[in-house]
Amino acid sequence: MDIPSVSDKHKALAIEDDGERSESSTETLTQAGYDSGHGEYFEACESRGYAMEVAIRWSSLSTPTEARFLIADVVGRTFKLCHITTYEKSNLQWEEVSRISKVPAFRTFDWSSRNDVVAVGQWSGETAVLALGTGKHVLSLPIKSQRQCNAVAFNSESLLATGLERVRNDFCLNIYDINQRVPLQSLQNSTSSIQQTVDPIRKLATSEGITSVKYFGQQPRTLVTGVKGTCVRIYDLREDSTNPALQYQTTCVHNLAIDPTNENYFASAAPPKETVVMIWDRRSTRRPTSTRTSPAGAQDGPVLELRKPVEEGDGAANTNIWRLQYSSTEPGCLGILASSGSFRLYHTKKEYIEEDESQAKGPSGQARPIYAQDLHVNHVDTVERSYQRRRLGGRDHDREELDRIVSFDFANVYAPDQRPCAITLRGNGDIGIHELNGRRPALAISARSAIVISTPAQIASTADTGELPFGLVFKEASQSGSIAEALVQVKEKAGKSEDTKDGSPSLSIRDALVLGDVARRRCIEGYLFDCDKNMMITKDELQLQEMWNWIKVAQSRARNSNMVANDVDFSYLGVNAVWAEDLAPQDTRILSKPPHDGSIASAITSLAQALGLQDAGLPETAKAEHRLVCLYTLGFSAKTGKLFSSVNNLAESGDNAQACLLSLMYNNSDLALKALQSGPRKDEAIHKGLAMAITAFSLLEEAKLQGERRKLAFSRIQDSVSTTDEPHAKAITSYVTTGNWATVLQTLSVPFRYRLGIALRTLSDASLSTFLAHESSQAILLGAPQTLPLIGLTIPTLSLFQSYLNRTSDLQSAVLAMSFAAPRFVRDLRFDTWRAAYRTQLNTWKLFIERTYFDTQSTKLSVTWDGTKTLRPSVAQVTLRCGHDDAFAILLVAHHPKLHLLGISTVHGNASLDRTTANASRVLQAIGRADVPVYPGAAKPFCREAVAAPNIHGVSGLDGTDLLPTASSPPIIHTPYLLAMRSALLSHSPGAAHLVATGALTNIALLFASFPSLATHIASLSIMGGALGGGFTSAPLGHLAGEGERIGNISRWAEFNIYCDPEAAAAVFGNKELAAKTTLIPLDLTHQVLGSAEVQRVLLYGDSEKGVEPSTLRRMLHDLLIFFAGTYEEVFGLVEGPPLHDPVAVAALLDNFGCEQLGFDDRAGERWEVNVVTDGQHSKNESVRGQLGRTVVTRVEGEGVRIPRGLNVKAFWRALEECVQRAEDGLRRKESLK
């Protein structure tokens, strides 16, 4: 085999781009990724020391019968495609399939094994595409300025990326569509000798040298690149922007490798002569770090840093990382090969750490672990040591050097003993297979219910088996039809199959997989909180049908607080809890302690009276109201009109037997006969038999005929109904045959709700208590969800569902059912754990939209009778500039319990963008919310120069105090603010996320112009801006000497935020869909909220008396307000105090949630069309400025902008003060933990 040796004979002098001359070797070839089925990726890495002149790559499409690999010979300028003929232990036999010779001198390459084409990056910077099948040079990718090509990479969509050395004023990362001229799949058969050229479709990275490029296999339009000496970047080619999506500051920018088993992780190596490898998590966006290879102040750091991960040998200074690659079969396994021949495998695992005490509390107050993305090294396998370390006395040094491993690639097939493998190439030309530690699992089931079985290849030939490469058997659950239909089919097959040795039915693997796919399929079909739909989805499960039928009844009974009496909420209570007056102490249905007039019994009596419940057919009882309320919770009504209506509805829907049983339960034989004769009557024979039985029953009751004579009289009639499995018909037959309801109570096939109803209407008090207690204990022990009408949704129900889970593992049904009452009434760590586990299941299934629906709708179910949400409410994404009033707006939104602040995007305005961004970060630090991300937004308006307001807010934009701390977290600059805002909004279901704009509307206008569909997605937009005048309110707007009527604050006509970017404001208000969701807070409203002397006193001292030393936070806020008051008095003559504009826009959002009694008055639904004057220029000269930025409003009918005229000012200041207190408390807790 003609493989050149690896030595140090090819060292040469090279001119680097910084103009200095240094000793450099031939460029090293290496790979740093995995193709996931569409070809491998290779690159060149600048290397000082020994040059790797050959490389070996394994085909990702290899199978045990067709295993292929590629050898790249740099010096010989050839590629050889080879096929393995025999492999037994260390004996590897192979033969050459095809060869490409006389390849242009290259320094990097990428093989697309799917299409059998090779792209080679040349020393001149050009890239050539070669067909392995014919050896022809079929495509040429020229460049404008000649320089070295450092990296090339194919993706699965025939895009080719090329990374070039740096030159000034030219792009260094080019993206080509190879299909632009000729289909890539046809290249391997091309016999044309004509070289076609292709122009790049994207050009990125101006004047920045690219060292390495890799595409993500699962996201083929996303790639990661190394920028020489600077950073690692991720580009999303789906976006039109040339800006990177993410960026990590580091000098470890070589040999990029992506983990194909979890593409969130990727690795990179340090420059030559530094043996450092870093692993990154692309989900990480704010992890401050300072390391030798990651400069101080960088926003992101590695999740794992490996220093000296290989043996360096005798020439440590010349040891380089030659190759990084992740295994495609072993999760988290990173292979590292050094120029010393040292080859090691690092097996990494995710870490779990405890949160700090201020954040580590779960919903029930217990400490809980938080999932972290950091990694640790679980263990290290040394495949081969450095050749110097293996040297034996008397051995030839050069011989040892030639024996070392110079290239490797992980294989996607396993050894005969099921161990993972890697193919290796040595300096002497030997090719071998290394069997690595570990075993392939004998069986693996995916989250989508597919199964892979490790078995000999010859077994994979049965009819329902899909054959995978490598001798694996692949089977998947049937996806056709509904899951209920699929389960029926599986149960039918199980009934017909022969039993196995242990007596269980025999099922095929595919049928068994259906059973494991039930929850996911149900979720896809809409299994959530619609009880009718849930009954359709679970029609194969009678016990779940009964459960959802009762929850439907309980939900209808609970509407409009119908089940609240004497400060006790009886919603979703079962019969046993009502009868026994048993509510657990932790059950929050008791709204006051004790109840309104002292007892649960009196509350039940009051509820029965309020609902008008009466029934003359009850047995003698001391607890008539208890029985009536219990019957009502079961969905039964004693009112004659209601009974007739219920029976008729059941009969018309085809449930004749159920309608008949309901009539008999209320001793109405005539109505029962009518029920059997109405509607579609699905089974005529059975209905006729039941009618005859009931007629005979009525006659025999009159004749007092009992015992054997009675049974004989019914024997013939019973024959006509004995073939039915309909449970209601069986109950009717049992009753009319014996004349005793007790026999029905013992018939388990009778729906449980009817058994309870019969017991309540027939048993004595003592017998009923015994019956309910026995059935309750059995229900909890057996985990029977159909018994929910008895147990209800209470604390004991959790024990019932625990038994149910042990029996069925149906976490989904348990969580969905309990969500109707938990955490609204039931607060228990078990439910918190189940709910979190179910959300994790939804994520595992990649059903993110369904998870969002679950979160949103379960939050709605958590609302108590007085409007309190017991789950965290919908979150609000807030975009702010930062001035004095903005500081108070940030405080309000960051510390109000009804709001969850996702982030802040700053904008030009009170000061320059740099200053408003710094101010926002410092305010967040001051109030203890440095965790909130800050994104710098637009630095200037659409089409004008930026203006500022130093006369109001000072030069810094936040003058007046020296107590603002330095921000510990820098603003996020590597993620564009528009993308960050879009992602935050779309991470919540439609109608759940809110925006608040308290500055110029540039960010907002650009957001909706870039992503128009967000207008339908958001719940609301609250804007502080504009001024109306004309008596819209009676608020004092201030005045300037020499002016007449004044409505604005930057000019006579305009408010500052709108004036800054009037075109942006016009675009926002001109969006009709957005206008219907917008609340505008003009100066006419904010000037009603003045920071008076009393407000200033409360802000400084809170509830404390004067003389008590205020906290640093209060002194800082007081300083800001005093400065603001001084400028407003000086400029506008407002002596009562400064208006606090921006917090009012946040308060309007709270008003939408119906909390705080803020009382924003829009005159019973006034709506307005808002137009903005855009004529004029930013100028102090009024003749030049005109009415620029003026907001002109017109009253409209129907949808439009909401503009409140007033609010409850005292409630506003109270809400703000409570947020100051929460911020103080949080800061004290953090201080105590230090």
Side-chain angles (χ1 to χ4, degrees), residues 570-695:
F570 290 91
S571 301
Y572 300 102
L573 274 184
V575 167
N576 191 56
V578 175
W579 179 258
E581 302 171 13
D582 182 20
L583 291 180
Q586 62 267 47
D587 197 309
T588 59
R589 286 181 174 88
I590 302 176
L591 308 179
S592 62
K593 309 287 184 182
H596 178 63
D597 61 356
S599 70
I600 301 296
S602 62
I604 293 172
T605 301
S606 298
L607 180 62
Q609 293 172 353
L611 294 173
L613 303 180
Q614 296 179 353
D615 190 346
L618 293 176
E620 183 176 346
T621 177
K623 302 172 75 172
E625 289 81 6
H626 290 64
R627 290 179 186 259
L628 293 174
V629 170
C630 288
L631 287 167
Y632 184 76
T633 63
L634 293 173
F636 301 129
S637 176
K639 295 181 180 179
T640 303
K642 288 282 188 181
L643 179 61
F644 285 163
S645 176
S646 298
V647 170
N648 183 64
N649 290 338
L650 288 171
E652 290 299 324
S653 64
D655 294 323
N656 300 76
Q658 184 178 175
C660 178
L661 180 60
L662 179 61
S663 303
L664 290 176
M665 203 174 83
Y666 280 88
N667 302 320
N668 196 327
S669 299
D670 293 338
L671 186 59
L673 288 171
K674 183 179 179 182
L676 291 172
Q677 298 164 0
S678 304
R681 292 186 291 181
K682 299 175 183 176
D683 196 327
E684 188 72 25
I686 291 176
H687 292 163
K688 284 183 177 179
L690 290 174
M692 292 170 63
I694 293 169
T695 303

Side-chain angles (χ1 to χ4, degrees), residues 17 107-108 125-127 142-153 160-176 200 202-213 223-228 233 235 242:
D17 58 13
R107 62 192 311 273
T108 178
E126 293 189 2
T127 300
I143 59 172
K144 174 183 173 183
S145 303
Q146 285 201 353
R147 70 274 204 188
Q148 295 173 356
C149 180
N150 292 332
V152 292
L160 176 64
T162 65
L164 304 171
E165 195 59 71
R166 173 185 178 273
V167 295
R168 293 182 180 178
N169 303 321
D170 197 5
F171 297 98
C172 298
L173 178 61
N174 294 321
I175 311 297
Y176 299 87
R202 295 290 298 275
K203 297 181 179 181
L204 304 166
T206 305
S207 304
E208 295 177 301
I210 301 299
T211 60
S212 181
V213 178
L223 72 161
V224 59
T225 65
V227 181
K228 189 173 183 179
R233 282 188 190 150
Y235 287 95
T242 58

Side-chain angles (χ1 to χ4, degrees), residues 940-959:
K940 63 184 291 293
F942 271 2
C943 53
R944 302 173 184 271
E945 292 303 317
V947 294
N951 59 329
I952 301 297
H953 297 283
V955 175
S956 72
L958 202 58
D959 282 3

Side-chain angles (χ1 to χ4, degrees), residues 355-617:
E355 289 180 301
D356 66 82
E357 191 170 330
S358 64
Q359 297 179 343
K361 301 296 182 183
S364 301
Q366 290 86 352
R368 58 176 176 84
I370 178 175
Y371 178 73
Q373 306 302 329
D374 282 348
L375 299 177
H376 69 274
V377 177
N378 191 43
H379 66 280
V380 180
D381 290 332
T382 299
V383 180
E384 189 158 300
R385 302 189 68 185
S386 163
Y387 74 89
Q388 291 98 336
R389 300 295 173 89
R390 293 185 292 112
R391 185 181 305 127
L392 298 175
R395 294 286 304 272
D396 181 74
H397 177 90
D398 292 334
R399 186 70 235 175
E400 284 285 350
E401 186 176 350
L402 291 177
D403 286 346
R404 63 179 167 169
I405 294 175
V406 296
S407 183
F408 81 95
D409 201 0
F410 285 112
N412 59 1
V413 299
Y414 289 81
D417 62 356
Q418 302 304 305
R419 295 170 64 183
C421 299
I423 190 169
T424 59
L425 174 63
R426 296 186 181 274
N428 59 13
D430 289 344
I431 298 174
I433 296 289
H434 273 262
E435 297 178 2
L436 309 175
N437 292 331
R439 289 288 189 277
R440 176 174 57 184
L443 180 146
I445 302 178
S446 76
R448 298 178 63 83
S449 214
I451 191 169
V452 177
I453 307 169
S454 175
T455 187
Q458 61 268 24
I459 297 178
S461 59
T462 57
D464 74 337
T465 295
E467 185 176 351
L468 278 182
F470 343 132
L472 299 182
V473 176
F474 171 77
K475 300 184 180 183
E476 186 175 21
S478 171
Q479 303 295 318
S480 60
S482 70
I483 184 60
E485 293 168 347
L487 286 172
V488 170
Q489 293 173 6
V490 170
K491 290 174 183 177
E492 288 176 351
K493 290 180 182 179
K496 297 176 182 177
S497 65
E498 296 181 2
D499 289 348
T500 58
K501 292 181 180 180
D502 63 358
S504 59
S506 175
L507 290 175
S508 70
I509 290 178
R510 182 165 283 124
D511 290 337
L513 287 174
V514 170
L515 302 178
D517 202 27
V518 172
R520 187 184 69 87
R521 293 274 296 279
R522 282 177 176 170
C523 183
I524 292 172
E525 292 175 16
Y527 195 43
L528 196 57
F529 300 121
D530 183 331
C531 297
D532 287 325
K533 180 180 283 189
N534 290 353
M535 284 189 281
M536 286 292 296
I537 293 171
T538 60
K539 60 185 178 183
D540 59 296
E541 297 280 356
L542 185 59
Q543 58 180 352
L544 295 179
Q545 290 261 294
E546 291 190 45
M547 179 187 80
W548 288 116
N549 187 48
W550 175 77
I551 292 178
K552 176 184 175 181
V553 170
Q555 187 179 30
S556 66
R557 296 296 197 233
R559 288 195 181 100
N560 302 319
S561 302
N562 285 340
M563 297 298 288
V564 177
N566 292 11
D567 287 342
V568 179
D569 194 335
F570 290 91
S571 301
Y572 300 102
L573 274 184
V575 167
N576 191 56
V578 175
W579 179 258
E581 302 171 13
D582 182 20
L583 291 180
Q586 62 267 47
D587 197 309
T588 59
R589 286 181 174 88
I590 302 176
L591 308 179
S592 62
K593 309 287 184 182
H596 178 63
D597 61 356
S599 70
I600 301 296
S602 62
I604 293 172
T605 301
S606 298
L607 180 62
Q609 293 172 353
L611 294 173
L613 303 180
Q614 296 179 353
D615 190 346

Side-chain angles (χ1 to χ4, degrees), residues 6 27 82 136 149 247 370 374 405 477 485 591 701 771 778 842 863 874 883 960 1013 1059 1074 1088 1186 1199 1210:
V6 180
E27 300 298 320
C82 305
K136 297 297 183 181
C149 180
Q247 180 167 298
I370 178 175
D374 282 348
I405 294 175
E485 293 168 347
L591 308 179
E701 283 291 293
F771 174 79
Q778 287 297 109
L842 293 172
V863 179
S874 302
S1013 61
Y1059 176 84
L1074 194 58
Q1088 300 175 34
E1199 292 185 340
K1210 290 184 178 179

Side-chain angles (χ1 to χ4, degrees), residues 976-1207:
Y977 72 97
L978 292 178
L979 295 182
M981 294 172 72
R982 172 179 177 264
S983 298
L985 293 172
L986 291 180
S987 67
H988 299 84
S989 60
H994 305 257
L995 276 165
V996 180
T998 61
L1001 294 180
T1002 313
N1003 292 356
I1004 300 295
L1006 287 172
L1007 178 69
F1008 290 104
S1010 302
F1011 311 108
S1013 61
L1014 288 180
T1016 61
H1017 184 84
I1018 67 168
S1020 71
L1021 169 62
S1022 183
I1023 297 173
M1024 190 282 123
L1028 309 182
F1032 189 78
T1033 70
S1034 59
L1037 294 177
H1039 62 275
L1040 291 180
E1043 287 189 347
E1045 178 191 11
R1046 182 182 182 86
I1047 62 175
N1049 58 3
I1050 184 63
S1051 74
R1052 184 177 175 185
W1053 304 104
E1055 180 274 332
F1056 182 76
N1057 289 345
I1058 306 298
Y1059 176 84
C1060 281
D1061 195 347
E1063 285 77 16
V1068 171
F1069 293 123
N1071 186 326
K1072 299 300 182 185
E1073 192 160 16
L1074 194 58
K1077 300 181 178 184
T1078 299
T1079 298
L1080 180 64
I1081 305 299
L1083 297 181
D1084 311 71
L1085 181 63
T1086 64
H1087 277 238
Q1088 300 175 34
V1089 185
L1090 302 179
S1092 64
E1094 176 60 19
V1095 167
Q1096 295 170 21
R1097 186 197 66 79
V1098 173
L1099 179 63
L1100 183 60
Y1101 295 105
D1103 296 332
S1104 305
E1105 296 294 329
K1106 286 185 177 180
V1108 177
E1109 178 66 23
S1111 65
T1112 302
L1113 173 65
R1114 287 187 177 275
R1115 287 189 288 118
M1116 181 204 75
L1117 294 172
H1118 184 260
D1119 288 349
L1120 293 175
L1121 189 59
I1122 292 298
F1123 180 88
F1124 203 32
T1127 59
Y1128 254 80
E1129 180 177 356
E1130 178 181 345
V1131 176
F1132 298 111
L1134 284 176
V1135 296
E1136 298 90 343
L1140 230 56
H1141 309 290
D1142 296 338
V1144 183
V1146 176
L1149 185 65
L1150 292 170
D1151 190 59
N1152 292 339
F1153 293 158
C1155 57
E1156 305 293 355
Q1157 293 78 46
L1158 289 166
F1160 279 76
D1161 178 17
D1162 61 2
R1163 300 286 176 90
E1166 278 184 338
R1167 294 297 180 265
W1168 305 84
E1169 177 184 318
V1170 180
N1171 291 288
V1172 178
V1173 176
T1174 57
D1175 294 333
Q1177 299 296 323
H1178 287 158
S1179 174
K1180 295 181 179 180
N1181 188 329
E1182 187 171 356
S1183 63
V1184 175
R1185 183 177 61 223
Q1187 296 187 10
L1188 178 66
R1190 182 177 183 179
T1191 44
V1192 181
V1193 300
T1194 306
R1195 178 78 181 273
V1196 296
E1197 297 299 328
E1199 292 185 340
V1201 176
R1202 177 183 181 231
I1203 308 178
R1205 295 175 183 260
L1207 78 159

